[in-house]
Amino acid sequence: MLATVTVDEGVVLFYRGPTVKADYFYFQKEVAGLDRLEAEAEKVQTEAREEVLREREGLFKKLAHFKHWV
């Protein structure tokens, strides 16, 4: 079995049947890994943003309390 694949700019790749299957599974794992990293990065970014907002809110509360005494 032989498969041909045309990619960007007319580049043609020739694959034997088992190689196509092996590459498919390899790239599926790579894509899943990148998706997982992206989700983790978004989670960290969201947690960092929430922490900054909590600190900001705390500072505003301290400022409001300070203004009350002045």
Side-chain angles (χ1 to χ4, degrees):
M1 264 175 39
L2 182 66
T4 57
V5 178
T6 304
V7 293
D8 294 338
E9 300 175 9
V11 176
V12 178
L13 303 173
F14 292 95
Y15 279 102
R16 290 181 301 127
T19 305
V20 171
K21 189 175 180 180
D23 284 353
Y24 172 78
F25 287 118
Y26 171 78
F27 286 115
Q28 285 292 81
K29 287 180 183 178
E30 290 296 311
V31 168
L34 291 173
D35 288 344
R36 187 171 38 259
L37 285 175
E38 181 183 14
E40 289 174 7
E42 287 177 5
K43 180 181 176 184
V44 168
Q45 185 178 18
T46 300
E47 289 173 352
R49 185 182 322 141
E50 289 173 355
E51 182 179 345
V52 167
L53 290 174
R54 279 192 302 271
E55 288 181 20
R56 183 174 181 249
E57 183 179 343
L59 289 174
F60 279 126
K61 285 181 181 179
K62 286 180 183 178
L63 180 62
H65 184 350
F66 178 73
K67 282 185 175 182
H68 179 73
W69 288 99
V70 175

